[in-house]
Amino acid sequence: MTTAEYRAQEGTVDPGRLAERARPQIVERGLPRRPGGWLQWLTTTDHKKIGILYLVATFMFFVVGGVEALMMRLQLGAAQNTIMDGTTYNGLVSLHGTTMIFLFVVPVLAGFGNYLVPLMIGARDMAFPRLNALSFWLFVFGGIVFYMSLFFTPPEAGWTSYTPLSDDAFLPSGGVDAWIFLVHLTGLSSLLGAINFVATIHNMRAKGMGLGRIPLFVWTILVYSYLLIIALPSIAAAATMLLTDRHFGTAFFDPTAGGDPLLWQHLFWFFGHPEVYIMILPAFGIISEVLPVFARKPIFGYKAIAGATAAIAFYALLVWAHHMFTTPTATVVLAFFMLSSFVVAIPTGIKIFNWLATLWRGTIVFRTPLYFAAALPALFVIGGISGVQLAVFPVDWQLHDTYFVVAHLHYVLFGGSVFGIFAGLYYWFPKMTGRLLSEGIGKLSFWVMFVGFNLTFLVQHSAGLSGMPRRIYWYPEDAGWEAFNLISTIGSFMLGIGVMITLVNVGLSLRKGKRAGNDPWKGNTLEWFTQSPPPENNFDVIPRVRSVEPMKDIRREILEREGRPAGSVAQPMASRAS
Amino acid sequence: MIPHALAPPRRIDRRHVAGLLVLGAFVGLLAAAPDAFADILTPEDGGGSPQAERTDVLYEITLWMALPIFLLVEGVLVYSLVKHRFRRGAPEPVQVRGNTRLEIGWTLGAAAILVVLAVITFAFLPGISDPERGGPQRGGAVAVAAIDQPDVPPGGPSLNIRVVGQQYIWRYDYPGPGRLFAYHRMVVPTNTTITLDITSQDVQHSFWIPELFGKADAVPGHVNDMWFKVTEEGVYRGNCAELCGENHAEMIGEVEAVSPERYRAWADRQRSDIRAATRALTDQRRRMQAQQGAGAGSLIRQ
């Protein structure tokens, strides 16, 4: 039943209009028609369409970055392999890292944020819809400019672009310049998007939704936005300095003319480490939404999780030099950054314990979103523990820049962020499309991904411990790393297949998936209050929020009032609230 | 809690069995190849360098401290997922929203573990980062004074070597008298405190011999330091650990530890080889200049 029908029952709308096909208010009121077809996707300023554009574009980049990873794994699968040379391999290293960070994880979270933040806080769009469209298109053009470098020379200095290797003296071709333009364009995109999120979340919440009642996903997007605003100027400045070093004769990072390569590392990591939390916090937010819904129990320690998120963000700004423990640096500085890195582990641990306590004595319903959401703490704890080990700087002197670090960062960014993103995809796909993803295919995808992921990255700890450095395209037979690498390569292809199964699931379910209805999971937050997919104005009437779980209140009220479950009523509060 | 009699009968899901089999096969695979996985959980053995041994011990301490936390988290998670899963007819779970005492407890607990770890690290630090006295040596020490490494405790034999990274090879400059340098393989006497001044002449590299010492980045314009002491003769190998260009993978450094007598013999031979090579080069240059001067004087006018 839609609003019109519902109002007709209550006698507020002329019953004659019920003869028309039931339509949402925005259509009913005769707003001008938008262009149809593909053109609407190019011109849209609707946060939901932009969100979907983000998701589609970022998942395309995810596949590209994944293929690059598999090419590298193929080369490393055997000792003294000759599939590719060092130049090609370094190109793949740089493309893979840059793609996954700048073109997948950060923007895919912006995509979820775009789609969901207005819905979850009861707003009709973002604060600045056109700015929002600009953010998306800047991101797309950043990606295109970057990948154009495939037609001449891709960058070969890694996603970190350390100087002097990235200076024109050593890499004169345009690949590094393409990387710089990508950093600028996607950086601007993220900065504008972050400002938009901050303005939206602070100003456009439903009545009664104080800062202490915003959904945890929205809370993490708010913190993500503040972190982006603080961290991005540093990389923007550094990339500009690198650009002028390369082309206009400055020497910020050139030691032969008085510059200092360590300056690059400081500026880069002042951005680079907060970036890690920018990539993980919204994933934490996603599972903080998913776990309580499937445990049929409220989130344990709402305020502790929100506070821990803010604390992580604050300390994230104070740990950057733990990436530089092996540089010539005074011991007191190393000690400071070790201790600050320890401190950041405490709020992270708090979150993990809170999730466990949320599941504890729940009534856990095993649907696909729960599988991915429960895998996050299971995998992230491994990355968190190896992170503390790496923070012990004398230990880091051995482990730094080895495959141990590669394993650590993938447990954090894949085991953490990507599993969280997949939980979000399975959880919100019904809201976005009106159809459920197939449960059977989803669970298959989960298990193939879970086993493949651990097969790929668990043994990389061991490869690192036995002395295998990162970013090498070749190793001799007598190094003793072949078995680890073969296992890792087999696992990586399994992981790739697991991801493809989910993409196939999306393709199939778009046409043939089960109809979801408004609220298939009995969610806690306001996005489940509107239709699936939501109409362009999101809500005809925005309900008043009375707790952190407004949908629970609404369902209870409907049940009391109507004597029937709320799932059968679309925007059920509409008539009363108006 | 559901009374025991009311609980539904346990049913072993075939898919769960398949999952366990995969897990078992995975663990079995890891356990079945002990040779390849000798260092599966800890770094390689130290080869007699005390600082590598101590790093190894410190790493193992972090591992043992982490293990209970890991098992606790995974255990509680798996237990909850199995024990508290939805069963038909189960009552709504108790709507617990938090427990302040519990939350303060695990916050303080986590903090306490990290304080202990920090104390242990600082206790280990001097043994890893400060050079220790060389010796004992039989057959006389290699008496070469360290120049700019004030940290070496006096009284033992020590040797200061300057390590210069370049794409894609390491050069080692030994102290005088007489020019002494080597590429690729650094020869050092055993039981001597070796201090290294590490730098680079082009891009960043990182000097690292896993069995002897951790990484020290070679940054152009900076000098990094590192020390080690080898007790067992042998050759130790390590890759450059900072991406330095297309042949980064082939940039390998080696340390060969030999007895002090053999070291002196090597140094003498190397010095005379370098002298001979320099002389040969000078001769050749003179010959070429003479030929060119006869043939085309304009070339050497300046």
Side-chain angles (χ1 to χ4, degrees):
Chain A
M1 187 186 307
T2 66
T3 318
E5 291 171 285
Y6 194 76
R7 282 195 186 168
Q9 272 188 346
E10 304 257 316
T12 51
V13 167
D14 173 16
R17 297 190 63 176
L18 273 181
E20 296 172 37
R21 195 162 53 87
R23 289 182 299 180
Q25 217 175 27
I26 193 165
V27 184
E28 210 172 86
R29 298 235 166 120
L31 287 175
R33 280 176 62 86
R34 301 294 170 93
W38 61 273
L39 201 60
Q40 63 175 334
W41 293 99
L42 295 185
T43 58
T44 186
T45 58
D46 176 14
H47 74 96
K48 297 180 290 299
K49 287 215 171 78
I50 292 174
I52 287 174
L53 283 173
Y54 262 116
L55 292 178
V56 171
T58 50
F59 266 88
M60 279 160 60
F61 283 122
F62 180 48
V63 171
V64 173
V67 169
E68 286 154 6
L70 293 182
M71 287 164 76
M72 287 191 280
R73 284 303 337 157
L74 213 55
Q75 162 71 11
L76 291 176
Q80 299 173 355
N81 213 346
T82 51
I83 298 173
M84 59 184 74
D85 60 9
T87 312
T88 316
Y89 188 87
N90 288 353
L92 287 171
V93 165
S94 313
L95 290 172
H96 169 73
T98 308
T99 303
M100 289 307 192
I101 286 168
F102 291 99
L103 299 174
F104 177 56
V105 181
V106 175
V108 80
L109 295 169
F112 278 110
N114 251 302
Y115 198 98
L116 293 160
V117 164
L119 287 169
M120 291 177 109
I121 64 173
R124 294 205 164 95
D125 205 326
M126 297 282 284
F128 310 115
R130 283 193 203 183
L131 196 68
N132 204 14
L134 178 66
S135 280
F136 172 73
W137 292 107
L138 280 173
F139 149 71
V140 170
F141 286 118
I144 292 174
V145 166
F146 181 63
Y147 269 94
M148 283 299 126
S149 70
L150 281 181
F151 295 107
F152 42 102
T153 325
E156 288 158 34
W159 86 279
T160 50
S161 284
Y162 273 15
T163 58
L165 182 60
S166 57
D167 268 339
D168 58 335
F170 298 98
L171 288 175
S173 71
V176 177
D177 297 310
W179 182 86
I180 292 171
F181 293 138
L182 164 118
V183 167
H184 277 314
L185 288 170
T186 58
L188 200 54
S189 156
S190 295
L191 202 56
L192 296 175
I195 291 167
N196 212 343
F197 281 128
V198 169
T200 308
I201 296 170
H202 279 306
N203 297 309
M204 297 174 66
R205 299 193 304 273
K207 266 193 194 137
M209 187 183 275
L211 268 183
R213 281 182 190 167
I214 60 176
L216 283 169
F217 175 69
V218 176
W219 182 257
T220 55
I221 286 285
L222 183 66
V223 172
Y224 153 101
S225 304
Y226 277 117
L227 267 182
L228 277 169
I229 291 170
I230 295 169
L232 277 169
S234 178
I235 183 88
T240 308
M241 288 151 87
L242 182 60
L243 189 72
T244 60
D245 265 17
R246 286 174 61 82
H247 296 292
F248 306 112
T250 57
F252 293 107
F253 308 121
D254 179 4
T256 59
D260 191 341
L262 289 186
L263 175 63
W264 169 266
Q265 291 197 24
H266 281 290
L267 291 174
F268 182 86
W269 287 116
F270 185 79
F271 150 81
H273 200 83
E275 178 86 342
V276 173
Y277 293 95
I278 287 166
M279 290 188 278
I280 191 72
L281 288 178
F284 286 174
I286 291 173
I287 75 155
S288 301
E289 297 298 334
V290 171
L291 290 178
V293 167
F294 291 89
R296 315 305 311 160
K297 216 178 132 229
I299 187 86
F300 190 92
Y302 170 90
K303 284 193 178 144
I305 292 187
T309 307
I312 291 174
F314 176 75
Y315 288 111
L317 295 164
L318 296 176
V319 299
W320 77 90
H322 72 207
H323 297 266
M324 301 168 58
F325 280 159
T326 59
T327 58
T329 303
T331 307
V332 62
V333 178
L334 303 183
F336 172 84
F337 282 100
M338 174 181 81
L339 294 176
S340 64
S341 307
F342 279 3
V343 171
V344 102
I346 298 173
T348 315
I350 291 174
K351 287 190 151 202
I352 291 179
F353 292 136
N354 276 307
W355 293 326
L356 295 183
T358 303
L359 290 174
W360 185 256
R361 294 205 171 166
T363 309
I364 302 167
V365 185
F366 276 84
R367 307 297 291 270
T368 316
L370 177 95
Y371 281 65
F372 283 100
L376 189 149
L379 299 175
F380 184 84
V381 72
I382 298 175
I385 285 172
S386 59
V388 172
Q389 291 182 300
L390 288 167
V392 178
F393 61 92
V395 171
D396 183 72
W397 289 336
Q398 274 292 358
L399 300 180
H400 182 75
D401 267 342
T402 64
Y403 261 82
F404 190 91
V405 174
V406 178
H408 158 72
L409 76 92
H410 282 93
Y411 267 91
V412 171
L413 283 180
F414 203 114
S417 302
V418 178
F419 275 83
I421 288 163
F422 273 64
L425 181 72
Y426 277 89
Y427 182 61
W428 282 305
F429 185 85
K431 180 50 64 184
M432 295 174 182
T433 63
R435 289 176 188 274
L436 291 159
L437 284 165
S438 154
E439 280 290 309
I441 305 179
K443 284 170 186 167
L444 176 71
S445 170
F446 169 79
W447 282 114
V448 176
M449 275 176 75
F450 186 80
V451 175
F453 171 81
N454 284 298
L455 215 52
T456 309
F457 294 110
L458 204 58
V459 287
Q460 290 190 358
H461 292 106
S462 309
L465 287 167
S466 52
M468 180 170 176
R470 301 169 72 169
R471 294 171 163 181
I472 54 167
Y473 79 101
W474 181 94
Y475 53 90
E477 227 162 75
D478 61 1
W481 304 325
E482 199 169 27
F484 300 128
N485 279 289
L486 184 61
I487 293 174
S488 187
T489 299
I490 293 169
S492 69
F493 276 85
M494 200 168 161
L495 181 56
I497 291 169
V499 170
M500 289 317 290
I501 294 173
T502 284
L503 297 183
V504 168
N505 196 357
V506 168
L508 290 177
S509 302
L510 267 179
R511 285 161 188 274
K512 303 204 167 154
K514 247 194 284 179
R515 294 270 176 202
N518 297 340
D519 187 9
W521 315 120
K522 293 198 172 65
N524 294 331
T525 38
L526 281 182
E527 76 272 26
W528 306 107
F529 176 62
T530 184
Q531 286 98 335
S532 310
E536 195 168 339
N537 66 337
N538 293 352
F539 304 99
D540 287 355
V541 171
I542 295 159
R544 199 184 167 84
V545 174
R546 294 188 171 79
S547 74
V548 287
E549 293 154 333
M551 265 313 277
K552 249 186 203 168
D553 305 340
I554 291 170
R555 269 197 302 271
R556 198 182 309 120
E557 219 177 309
I558 295 285
L559 200 64
E560 283 166 10
R561 208 149 53 88
E562 307 271 318
R564 62 190 172 127
S568 59
V569 185
Q571 305 218 5
M573 296 285 285
S575 63
R576 243 197 64 178
S578 64
Chain B
M1 286 297 289
I2 313 165
H4 192 71
L6 291 182
R10 265 169 194 275
R11 188 170 55 87
I12 296 172
D13 197 322
R14 209 175 298 160
R15 281 170 305 175
H16 292 179
V17 175
L20 285 177
L21 280 179
V22 170
L23 198 69
F26 177 50
V27 173
L29 191 68
L30 292 186
D35 281 345
F37 300 97
D39 306 302
I40 189 155
L41 288 175
T42 59
E44 287 187 85
D45 289 337
S49 172
Q51 74 128 295
E53 308 278 12
R54 287 174 198 138
T55 310
D56 203 355
V57 174
L58 181 57
Y59 171 84
E60 276 168 36
I61 292 172
T62 66
L63 188 68
W64 286 112
M65 285 176 75
L67 207 59
I69 301 170
F70 171 75
L71 292 176
L72 179 78
V73 170
E74 305 289 358
V76 171
L77 182 65
V78 172
Y79 180 83
S80 296
L81 290 173
V82 173
K83 188 81 182 169
H84 305 305
R85 69 175 185 275
F86 174 79
R87 291 177 171 86
R88 216 165 285 283
E92 269 290 287
V94 185
Q95 303 289 298
V96 183
R97 288 179 185 275
N99 181 332
T100 312
R101 218 177 279 175
L102 192 62
E103 287 171 60
I104 291 175
W106 64 47
T107 307
L108 293 180
I113 292 170
L114 291 168
V115 168
V116 171
L117 184 56
V119 169
I120 293 173
T121 303
F122 286 121
F124 268 78
L125 184 60
I128 294 170
S129 70
D130 301 344
E132 76 179 34
R133 200 150 60 90
Q137 267 184 351
R138 281 167 296 122
V142 182
V144 181
I147 301 160
D148 53 354
Q149 286 265 1
D151 292 331
V152 186
S158 68
L159 177 62
N160 178 259
I161 299 172
R162 185 176 171 82
V163 178
V164 184
Q166 66 188 72
Q167 286 177 326
Y168 300 92
I169 198 164
W170 295 101
R171 191 180 80 236
Y172 315 106
D173 291 330
Y174 291 73
R179 280 184 78 197
L180 177 58
F181 60 85
Y183 283 92
H184 183 66
R185 177 175 287 191
M186 175 197 291
V187 179
V188 297
T190 51
N191 291 320
T192 306
T193 305
I194 313 289
T195 54
L196 304 176
D197 293 338
I198 300 163
T199 189
S200 163
Q201 66 180 46
D202 43 36
V203 302
Q204 291 189 47
H205 306 275
S206 189
F207 192 58
W208 176 42
I209 309 291
E211 290 163 85
L212 301 181
F213 51 85
K215 286 164 209 79
D217 288 356
V219 184
H222 290 267
V223 178
N224 212 344
D225 50 43
M226 184 49 73
W227 76 277
F228 66 98
K229 189 174 86 171
V230 201
T231 48
E232 295 162 30
E233 294 193 18
V235 177
Y236 305 91
R237 193 159 72 162
N239 278 68
C240 167
E242 183 69 69
L243 179 65
C244 60
E246 56 183 323
N247 291 106
H248 168 55
E250 278 105 353
M251 184 163 169
I252 286 167
E254 282 179 353
V255 169
E256 183 180 8
V258 296
S259 67
E261 299 83 18
R262 283 181 59 204
Y263 170 75
R264 268 194 299 272
W266 171 83
D268 290 342
R269 196 172 59 246
Q270 186 82 349
R271 276 202 185 89
S272 64
D273 283 356
I274 291 170
R275 263 200 307 276
T278 313
R279 229 180 353 255
L281 194 66
T282 313
D283 290 348
Q284 194 184 5
R285 193 177 293 131
R286 283 202 187 116
R287 265 201 312 281
M288 280 171 66
Q289 281 172 350
Q291 280 169 7
Q292 283 166 348
S298 60
L299 276 181
I300 50 163
R301 207 181 306 152
Q302 64 272 60

